[in-house]
Coordinates of all heavy atoms in Angstrom, one line a residue:
F11 N 29.8 33.7 342.0 CA 30.7 34.8 341.8 C 29.9 36.1 341.8 O 30.4 37.1 342.3 CB 31.6 34.7 340.5 CG 32.4 35.9 340.2 CD1 33.5 36.1 341.0 CD2 32.1 36.7 339.2 CE1 34.3 37.2 340.7 CE2 32.9 37.8 339.0 CZ 34.0 38.1 339.7
R12 N 28.7 36.2 341.2 CA 28.0 37.4 341.2 C 27.7 38.0 342.5 O 27.7 39.2 342.7 CB 26.7 37.2 340.4 CG 26.9 37.0 338.9 CD 25.6 36.8 338.2 NE 25.9 36.4 336.8 CZ 25.4 36.9 335.8 NH1 24.5 37.9 335.9 NH2 25.7 36.5 334.6
Q13 N 27.5 37.1 343.5 CA 27.2 37.6 344.9 C 28.5 38.3 345.4 O 28.4 39.4 346.0 CB 26.8 36.5 345.8 CG 26.4 36.9 347.2 CD 25.9 35.8 348.0 OE1 26.0 34.6 347.7 NE2 25.3 36.1 349.1
I14 N 29.6 37.7 345.2 CA 30.9 38.2 345.6 C 31.2 39.6 344.9 O 31.5 40.6 345.5 CB 32.0 37.2 345.4 CG1 31.9 36.0 346.3 CG2 33.4 37.9 345.6 CD1 32.8 34.8 346.0
Q15 N 31.0 39.6 343.6 CA 31.1 40.8 342.8 C 30.3 41.9 343.4 O 30.7 43.1 343.5 CB 30.8 40.5 341.4 CG 30.9 41.7 340.5 CD 30.5 41.3 339.0 OE1 29.9 40.3 338.8 NE2 30.9 42.2 338.1
S16 N 29.0 41.6 343.6 CA 28.1 42.6 344.1 C 28.6 43.2 345.5 O 28.5 44.4 345.7 CB 26.7 42.0 344.3 OG 25.8 42.9 344.8
I17 N 29.0 42.4 346.4 CA 29.5 42.8 347.7 C 30.7 43.8 347.5 O 30.7 44.9 348.1 CB 29.8 41.6 348.6 CG1 28.5 40.9 348.9 CG2 30.5 42.1 349.8 CD1 28.8 39.5 349.6
I18 N 31.6 43.4 346.7 CA 32.8 44.2 346.5 C 32.5 45.5 345.9 O 32.9 46.6 346.3 CB 33.9 43.5 345.8 CG1 34.4 42.3 346.6 CG2 35.1 44.4 345.4 CD1 35.4 41.4 345.9
Q19 N 31.6 45.5 344.8 CA 31.3 46.7 344.1 C 30.5 47.7 345.0 O 30.5 48.9 344.8 CB 30.6 46.4 342.8 CG 31.6 45.9 341.8 CD 31.1 45.6 340.4 OE1 29.9 45.3 340.3 NE2 31.9 45.8 339.5
R20 N 29.7 47.2 345.9 CA 29.0 48.1 346.9 C 30.0 48.9 347.7 O 29.7 49.9 348.2 CB 28.1 47.3 347.8 CG 26.8 46.9 347.1 CD 25.7 46.5 348.1 NE 26.1 45.4 349.0 CZ 25.8 44.1 348.7 NH1 25.1 43.8 347.7 NH2 26.2 43.2 349.6
N21 N 31.2 48.3 347.9 CA 32.2 49.0 348.7 C 33.1 49.9 347.8 O 34.1 50.5 348.3 CB 33.1 48.0 349.4 CG 32.4 47.4 350.5 OD1 31.7 48.0 351.3 ND2 32.6 46.1 350.7
W22 N 32.8 50.1 346.6 CA 33.6 50.9 345.6 C 33.0 52.3 345.5 O 31.8 52.5 345.3 CB 33.7 50.2 344.3 CG 34.5 51.0 343.3 CD1 35.7 51.5 343.5 CD2 34.3 51.1 341.9 NE1 36.2 52.1 342.3 CE2 35.4 51.8 341.3 CE3 33.2 50.8 341.1 CZ2 35.4 52.2 340.0 CZ3 33.3 51.1 339.7 CH2 34.4 51.8 339.2
T23 N 33.9 53.3 345.7 CA 33.5 54.7 345.6 C 34.3 55.2 344.4 O 35.5 55.2 344.5 CB 33.8 55.5 346.9 OG1 33.1 54.8 347.9 CG2 33.3 56.9 346.7
L24 N 33.6 55.7 343.4 CA 34.3 56.3 342.2 C 34.9 57.6 342.7 O 34.2 58.5 343.3 CB 33.2 56.5 341.1 CG 33.8 57.0 339.8 CD1 34.7 55.9 339.2 CD2 32.6 57.3 338.8
P25 N 36.2 57.8 342.5 CA 36.8 59.1 342.8 C 36.0 60.3 342.2 O 35.6 60.2 341.1 CB 38.2 59.0 342.3 CG 38.5 57.5 342.2 CD 37.1 56.9 341.9
P26 N 35.9 61.4 342.9 CA 35.1 62.5 342.4 C 35.6 63.1 341.1 O 34.8 63.7 340.4 CB 35.2 63.5 343.5 CG 36.3 63.1 344.4 CD 36.5 61.7 344.2
Q27 N 36.8 62.9 340.7 CA 37.3 63.5 339.5 C 36.9 62.7 338.2 O 37.1 63.1 337.1 CB 38.8 63.7 339.5 CG 39.6 62.5 339.5 CD 40.0 62.0 340.9 OE1 39.2 62.2 341.9 NE2 41.2 61.5 341.1
F28 N 36.2 61.6 338.5 CA 35.8 60.7 337.4 C 34.3 60.7 337.3 O 33.6 60.9 338.3 CB 36.3 59.3 337.6 CG 37.7 59.2 337.7 CD1 38.4 59.0 338.9 CD2 38.5 59.3 336.5 CE1 39.8 58.9 338.9 CE2 39.9 59.2 336.6 CZ 40.5 59.0 337.8
D29 N 33.7 60.5 336.1 CA 32.3 60.4 336.0 C 32.0 59.0 335.4 O 32.8 58.3 334.8 CB 31.6 61.5 335.2 CG 32.1 61.6 333.8 OD1 32.1 60.6 333.1 OD2 32.4 62.7 333.3
K30 N 30.7 58.7 335.4 CA 30.3 57.3 335.0 C 30.4 57.1 333.5 O 30.2 56.0 333.0 CB 28.8 57.1 335.4 CG 28.7 56.9 336.9 CD 27.3 56.6 337.4 CE 27.3 56.5 338.9 NZ 26.0 56.1 339.3
Q31 N 30.6 58.2 332.7 CA 30.7 58.1 331.3 C 32.1 57.8 330.8 O 32.3 57.5 329.6 CB 30.2 59.4 330.6 CG 28.8 59.8 331.0 CD 27.8 58.7 330.8 OE1 27.8 58.0 329.8 NE2 27.0 58.4 331.8
Q32 N 33.1 57.8 331.7 CA 34.5 57.6 331.3 C 34.7 56.1 331.0 O 34.0 55.2 331.6 CB 35.4 58.1 332.4 CG 35.4 59.6 332.4 CD 36.5 60.1 333.4 OE1 36.2 60.1 334.6 NE2 37.5 60.7 332.9
S33 N 35.6 55.8 330.2 CA 35.8 54.4 329.7 C 37.0 53.7 330.4 O 37.5 52.8 330.0 CB 36.0 54.4 328.2 OG 37.2 55.1 327.9
L34 N 37.4 54.3 331.6 CA 38.4 53.6 332.3 C 38.0 52.3 332.9 O 36.8 52.1 333.2 CB 38.8 54.5 333.5 CG 39.6 55.8 333.2 CD1 39.7 56.6 334.5 CD2 40.9 55.5 332.6
R35 N 38.9 51.4 333.0 CA 38.6 50.1 333.7 C 39.9 49.5 334.3 O 41.0 49.7 333.8 CB 38.0 49.1 332.7 CG 38.9 48.5 331.7 CD 38.3 47.5 330.8 NE 39.3 46.5 330.4 CZ 39.1 45.3 330.5 NH1 38.0 44.7 330.8 NH2 40.1 44.5 330.2
V36 N 39.7 48.9 335.4 CA 40.8 48.3 336.1 C 40.4 46.9 336.5 O 39.2 46.7 336.9 CB 41.3 49.1 337.3 CG1 40.2 49.3 338.3 CG2 42.5 48.5 338.0
V37 N 41.3 45.9 336.4 CA 41.0 44.5 336.7 C 41.8 44.2 338.0 O 43.0 44.4 338.0 CB 41.3 43.6 335.6 CG1 41.0 42.1 336.0 CG2 40.6 44.0 334.3
V38 N 41.1 43.7 339.0 CA 41.8 43.3 340.2 C 41.7 41.8 340.4 O 40.6 41.2 340.2 CB 41.1 44.0 341.5 CG1 41.7 43.5 342.8 CG2 41.2 45.5 341.3
F39 N 42.8 41.2 340.7 CA 42.9 39.7 341.0 C 42.8 39.6 342.5 O 43.4 40.3 343.2 CB 44.2 39.2 340.5 CG 44.4 37.8 340.9 CD1 43.9 36.7 340.2 CD2 45.1 37.5 342.1 CE1 44.2 35.4 340.6 CE2 45.4 36.2 342.5 CZ 44.9 35.1 341.7
F40 N 42.0 38.6 343.0 CA 42.0 38.3 344.4 C 41.8 36.8 344.6 O 41.2 36.1 343.8 CB 41.0 39.2 345.2 CG 39.5 38.9 344.8 CD1 38.7 38.1 345.5 CD2 39.0 39.6 343.7 CE1 37.4 37.9 345.2 CE2 37.7 39.4 343.3 CZ 36.9 38.5 344.1
R41 N 42.2 36.4 345.8 CA 42.0 35.0 346.2 C 41.2 34.9 347.5 O 41.4 35.7 348.4 CB 43.4 34.3 346.5 CG 44.2 34.1 345.2 CD 45.5 33.3 345.5 NE 45.2 32.0 346.1 CZ 44.8 30.9 345.6 NH1 44.5 30.9 344.3 NH2 44.6 29.8 346.3
L42 N 40.4 33.9 347.6 CA 39.6 33.6 348.8 C 40.1 32.3 349.4 O 40.5 31.3 348.7 CB 38.2 33.4 348.5 CG 37.4 34.6 347.9 CD1 36.0 34.2 347.7 CD2 37.5 35.8 348.8
D43 N 40.2 32.2 350.7 CA 40.4 30.9 351.4 C 39.1 30.1 351.5 O 38.1 30.6 351.0 CB 41.1 31.1 352.7 CG 40.3 31.8 353.8 OD1 39.0 31.8 353.6 OD2 40.9 32.2 354.8
S44 N 39.2 28.9 352.0 CA 38.0 28.1 352.1 C 36.9 28.7 352.9 O 35.7 28.2 352.9 CB 38.4 26.7 352.5 OG 39.0 26.7 353.8
G45 N 37.2 29.6 353.8 CA 36.2 30.3 354.6 C 35.6 31.6 354.1 O 34.8 32.2 354.7
G46 N 36.1 31.9 352.8 CA 35.6 33.1 352.2 C 36.3 34.4 352.5 O 35.9 35.5 352.2
N47 N 37.5 34.2 353.2 CA 38.3 35.4 353.5 C 39.2 35.8 352.4 O 39.8 34.9 351.8 CB 39.1 35.1 354.8 CG 38.3 34.8 356.0 OD1 37.6 35.7 356.5 ND2 38.3 33.6 356.4
I48 N 39.3 37.0 352.1 CA 40.2 37.5 351.0 C 41.6 37.4 351.6 O 42.0 37.9 352.6 CB 39.9 38.9 350.6 CG1 38.5 39.0 350.0 CG2 41.0 39.5 349.7 CD1 38.0 40.5 349.7
Q49 N 42.5 36.6 350.8 CA 43.8 36.3 351.3 C 44.9 37.2 350.6 O 45.9 37.4 351.1 CB 44.2 34.8 351.1 CG 43.4 34.0 352.0 CD 43.7 34.3 353.5 OE1 44.8 34.3 353.9 NE2 42.6 34.6 354.2
G50 N 44.6 37.6 349.4 CA 45.5 38.4 348.7 C 44.8 39.1 347.5 O 43.9 38.5 346.9
F51 N 45.3 40.3 347.1 CA 44.7 40.9 345.9 C 45.7 41.9 345.4 O 46.6 42.4 346.1 CB 43.4 41.6 346.3 CG 43.5 42.7 347.4 CD1 43.7 44.0 347.1 CD2 43.4 42.3 348.7 CE1 43.7 45.0 348.1 CE2 43.5 43.3 349.7 CZ 43.7 44.6 349.4
H52 N 45.6 42.1 344.1 CA 46.5 43.1 343.4 C 45.9 43.5 342.1 O 44.9 42.9 341.6 CB 47.9 42.5 343.2 CG 47.9 41.3 342.3 ND1 47.8 40.0 342.7 CD2 48.0 41.2 340.9 CE1 47.8 39.2 341.7 NE2 47.9 39.9 340.6
I53 N 46.4 44.6 341.5 CA 46.0 45.0 340.2 C 46.5 44.0 339.1 O 47.7 43.7 339.1 CB 46.6 46.4 339.8 CG1 46.1 47.5 340.8 CG2 46.3 46.8 338.4 CD1 44.6 47.8 340.7
D54 N 45.6 43.5 338.4 CA 45.9 42.5 337.3 C 46.1 43.3 336.0 O 47.1 43.1 335.3 CB 44.8 41.5 337.1 CG 45.2 40.4 336.1 OD1 46.2 39.7 336.4 OD2 44.5 40.3 335.1
T55 N 45.2 44.3 335.7 CA 45.3 45.2 334.6 C 45.0 46.6 335.0 O 43.9 46.8 335.5 CB 44.4 44.8 333.4 OG1 44.6 43.4 333.1 CG2 44.6 45.6 332.2
S56 N 46.0 47.5 334.9 CA 45.8 48.8 335.4 C 44.9 49.6 334.4 O 45.0 49.4 333.2 CB 47.2 49.5 335.5 OG 47.0 50.9 335.8
S57 N 44.3 50.6 334.9 CA 43.5 51.6 334.1 C 44.5 52.6 333.5 O 44.1 53.3 332.6 CB 42.5 52.3 334.9 OG 43.1 53.2 335.9
G58 N 45.6 52.7 334.0 CA 46.6 53.8 333.6 C 46.5 55.0 334.5 O 47.3 55.9 334.4
N59 N 45.5 55.0 335.4 CA 45.3 56.1 336.3 C 45.5 55.6 337.8 O 44.6 54.9 338.2 CB 44.0 56.8 336.1 CG 43.8 58.0 336.9 OD1 43.7 57.9 338.1 ND2 43.6 59.1 336.3
P60 N 46.5 56.1 338.5 CA 46.8 55.5 339.8 C 45.6 55.8 340.8 O 45.4 54.9 341.6 CB 48.0 56.3 340.3 CG 48.7 56.7 339.0 CD 47.6 57.0 338.0
S61 N 45.0 56.9 340.8 CA 43.9 57.1 341.7 C 42.7 56.2 341.4 O 42.0 55.8 342.3 CB 43.5 58.6 341.9 OG 42.9 59.1 340.7
Y62 N 42.4 56.0 340.2 CA 41.3 55.1 339.8 C 41.6 53.7 340.2 O 40.8 53.0 340.8 CB 41.1 55.2 338.3 CG 39.8 54.5 337.8 CD1 38.6 55.1 337.9 CD2 39.9 53.2 337.3 CE1 37.5 54.5 337.4 CE2 38.8 52.5 336.9 CZ 37.5 53.2 337.0 OH 36.4 52.5 336.5
D63 N 42.9 53.2 340.0 CA 43.3 51.9 340.4 C 43.2 51.8 341.9 O 42.7 50.7 342.4 CB 44.7 51.6 339.9 CG 44.9 51.4 338.4 OD1 43.8 51.5 337.7 OD2 46.0 51.3 338.0
A64 N 43.6 52.8 342.6 CA 43.6 52.8 344.1 C 42.2 52.6 344.6 O 41.9 52.0 345.6 CB 44.3 54.0 344.7
S65 N 41.2 53.3 343.9 CA 39.8 53.2 344.4 C 39.3 51.7 344.3 O 38.6 51.3 345.2 CB 38.9 54.1 343.5 OG 38.7 53.6 342.2
A66 N 39.7 51.0 343.3 CA 39.3 49.6 343.2 C 40.0 48.8 344.3 O 39.3 47.9 344.9 CB 39.7 49.0 341.8
L67 N 41.3 49.0 344.5 CA 42.0 48.3 345.6 C 41.4 48.6 346.9 O 41.2 47.7 347.8 CB 43.5 48.6 345.6 CG 44.3 48.1 344.4 CD1 45.7 48.6 344.5 CD2 44.2 46.5 344.4
N68 N 41.0 49.8 347.1 CA 40.3 50.2 348.4 C 39.0 49.5 348.6 O 38.7 49.1 349.7 CB 40.1 51.7 348.4 CG 41.4 52.5 348.6 OD1 42.4 52.0 349.1 ND2 41.3 53.8 348.2
A69 N 38.3 49.2 347.5 CA 37.0 48.5 347.6 C 37.3 47.1 348.1 O 36.5 46.5 349.0 CB 36.3 48.5 346.3
V70 N 38.3 46.4 347.6 CA 38.6 45.1 348.0 C 39.1 45.1 349.4 O 38.7 44.2 350.2 CB 39.6 44.4 347.0 CG1 40.0 43.0 347.5 CG2 39.1 44.4 345.6
Q71 N 39.9 46.0 349.8 CA 40.4 46.1 351.1 C 39.3 46.3 352.1 O 39.2 45.7 353.2 CB 41.5 47.3 351.3 CG 42.0 47.4 352.7 CD 42.8 46.2 353.1 OE1 43.6 45.6 352.4 NE2 42.7 45.9 354.4
K72 N 38.4 47.2 351.8 CA 37.2 47.5 352.7 C 36.4 46.2 352.8 O 35.9 45.9 353.9 CB 36.4 48.6 352.1 CG 35.2 49.0 352.9 CD 34.5 50.2 352.3 CE 33.4 50.7 353.2 NZ 32.7 51.8 352.6
T73 N 36.2 45.5 351.7 CA 35.5 44.2 351.8 C 36.2 43.2 352.7 O 35.6 42.5 353.5 CB 35.3 43.6 350.4 OG1 34.6 44.6 349.6 CG2 34.5 42.4 350.4
K74 N 37.5 43.1 352.5 CA 38.3 42.2 353.3 C 38.2 42.5 354.8 O 38.0 41.6 355.6 CB 39.8 42.3 352.9 CG 40.7 41.4 353.7 CD 42.2 41.6 353.2 CE 43.1 40.7 354.1 NZ 44.5 40.8 353.6
Q75 N 38.1 43.8 355.2 CA 38.0 44.2 356.6 C 36.6 43.9 357.1 O 36.5 43.8 358.4 CB 38.4 45.6 356.7 CG 39.9 45.9 356.5 CD 40.2 47.4 356.4 OE1 39.4 48.2 356.2 NE2 41.5 47.6 356.6
S76 N 35.6 43.8 356.3 CA 34.3 43.7 356.8 C 33.9 42.2 357.1 O 32.8 41.9 357.5 CB 33.3 44.3 355.8 OG 33.3 43.6 354.6
G77 N 34.8 41.3 356.8 CA 34.6 39.9 357.1 C 34.5 39.0 355.9 O 34.6 39.5 354.8
P78 N 34.2 37.7 356.2 CA 34.3 36.8 355.1 C 33.2 37.0 354.0 O 32.1 37.4 354.3 CB 34.1 35.4 355.7 CG 33.9 35.6 357.1 CD 34.0 37.1 357.4
L79 N 33.5 36.6 352.8 CA 32.5 36.6 351.7 C 31.9 35.2 351.7 O 32.4 34.3 352.4 CB 33.3 36.9 350.4 CG 33.8 38.3 350.3 CD1 34.8 38.4 349.1 CD2 32.7 39.3 350.0
P80 N 30.9 35.0 350.8 CA 30.4 33.6 350.6 C 31.5 32.7 350.3 O 32.4 33.0 349.5 CB 29.4 33.8 349.5 CG 29.0 35.2 349.5 CD 30.2 35.9 350.0
T81 N 31.5 31.5 350.8 CA 32.6 30.5 350.5 C 32.5 30.0 349.1 O 31.4 29.8 348.6 CB 32.6 29.3 351.5 OG1 31.3 28.7 351.4 CG2 32.8 29.8 352.9
P82 N 33.7 29.8 348.5 CA 33.7 29.3 347.1 C 33.1 27.9 347.1 O 33.4 27.1 348.1 CB 35.2 29.3 346.8 CG 35.9 30.2 347.8 CD 35.0 30.2 349.0
P83 N 32.4 27.6 346.1 CA 31.8 26.2 346.0 C 32.8 25.1 345.9 O 32.5 24.0 346.3 CB 30.9 26.3 344.8 CG 31.4 27.4 344.0 CD 32.0 28.4 344.9
K84 N 33.9 25.4 345.3 CA 35.0 24.3 345.2 C 36.3 25.0 345.1 O 36.5 26.2 344.8 CB 34.7 23.4 344.0 CG 34.5 24.2 342.7 CD 34.1 23.2 341.6 CE 33.7 24.0 340.4 NZ 33.2 23.1 339.3
P85 N 37.4 24.2 345.5 CA 38.7 24.8 345.6 C 39.2 25.5 344.3 O 39.9 26.5 344.3 CB 39.6 23.6 345.9 CG 38.7 22.7 346.6 CD 37.4 22.9 346.0
S86 N 38.8 25.0 343.1 CA 39.2 25.6 341.9 C 38.6 26.9 341.6 O 39.0 27.6 340.7 CB 38.8 24.6 340.7 OG 37.4 24.5 340.6
M87 N 37.7 27.3 342.5 CA 37.0 28.6 342.3 C 37.4 29.6 343.4 O 36.6 30.3 343.9 CB 35.5 28.5 342.3 CG 35.0 27.7 341.1 SD 33.2 27.7 340.9 CE 32.9 29.4 340.6
Q88 N 38.7 29.6 343.8 CA 39.1 30.5 344.9 C 39.9 31.7 344.4 O 40.3 32.5 345.1 CB 40.0 29.7 345.9 CG 39.1 28.7 346.7 CD 39.9 27.9 347.7 OE1 41.1 27.7 347.6 NE2 39.2 27.6 348.8
S89 N 40.2 31.7 343.1 CA 40.9 32.8 342.5 C 39.9 33.5 341.5 O 39.3 32.9 340.7 CB 42.1 32.4 341.7 OG 43.0 31.7 342.5
F90 N 39.9 34.9 341.6 CA 38.9 35.6 340.8 C 39.6 36.9 340.2 O 40.5 37.4 340.8 CB 37.8 36.1 341.7 CG 37.0 35.0 342.4 CD1 37.4 34.6 343.6 CD2 35.9 34.4 341.7 CE1 36.7 33.6 344.3 CE2 35.2 33.4 342.3 CZ 35.6 33.0 343.6
T91 N 39.0 37.4 339.2 CA 39.4 38.7 338.7 C 38.0 39.5 338.6 O 37.0 38.9 338.2 CB 40.1 38.7 337.3 OG1 39.2 38.1 336.3 CG2 41.4 38.1 337.4
L92 N 38.1 40.7 339.0 CA 36.9 41.6 339.0 C 37.3 42.9 338.2 O 38.3 43.5 338.5 CB 36.5 41.9 340.4 CG 35.3 42.8 340.6 CD1 34.1 42.2 339.9 CD2 35.0 42.9 342.1
T93 N 36.4 43.2 337.2 CA 36.7 44.4 336.5 C 35.8 45.6 337.0 O 34.6 45.4 337.2 CB 36.3 44.2 335.0 OG1 37.1 43.1 334.5 CG2 36.5 45.5 334.2
F94 N 36.5 46.7 337.3 CA 35.8 47.9 337.8 C 35.8 48.9 336.6 O 36.8 49.2 336.1 CB 36.6 48.5 339.0 CG 36.6 47.7 340.2 CD1 37.5 46.6 340.4 CD2 35.8 48.0 341.3 CE1 37.5 45.9 341.5 CE2 35.8 47.3 342.4 CZ 36.7 46.2 342.6
H95 N 34.6 49.3 336.3 CA 34.4 50.4 335.3 C 33.2 51.2 335.8 O 32.3 50.7 336.4 CB 34.4 50.0 333.9 CG 33.5 48.9 333.6 ND1 32.2 49.0 333.2 CD2 33.7 47.5 333.5 CE1 31.6 47.9 333.0 NE2 32.6 46.9 333.1
P96 N 33.2 52.5 335.5 CA 32.2 53.4 336.0 C 30.8 53.0 335.7 O 29.9 53.3 336.4 CB 32.5 54.8 335.4 CG 34.0 54.7 335.0 CD 34.2 53.3 334.7
Q97 N 30.6 52.4 334.6 CA 29.2 52.0 334.2 C 28.6 51.0 335.2 O 27.4 50.8 335.2 CB 29.2 51.4 332.8 CG 29.5 52.4 331.7 CD 31.0 52.6 331.5 OE1 31.9 51.9 332.1 NE2 31.4 53.6 330.7
N98 N 29.5 50.3 336.0 CA 29.0 49.4 337.0 C 28.5 50.1 338.3 O 27.9 49.4 339.1 CB 30.1 48.4 337.4 CG 30.4 47.4 336.4 OD1 29.8 47.3 335.4 ND2 31.5 46.6 336.7
M99 N 28.7 51.4 338.4 CA 28.2 52.1 339.6 C 26.7 52.2 339.6 O 26.0 52.3 338.7 CB 28.8 53.5 339.6 CG 30.3 53.5 339.7 SD 31.0 52.8 341.2 CE 30.5 54.0 342.4

């Protein structure tokens, strides 16, 4: 999972109105198919700020468009949640 997390977070751009010291966090749920392709994703827990939430969704969308991720080691590991917060930048 750490490799997948790293790839998605590299595609995340913190909106300019936020700084790394803010305590916002958004949790995104996503599913991978057996080939490592992102099949679906949505906000699991909102930060309460629509533009911040959108930045996390954009990171997953950008990752989806760039091709498959590493394949999940087993079918039970095809659903993930990823927390985005500025300290991860």
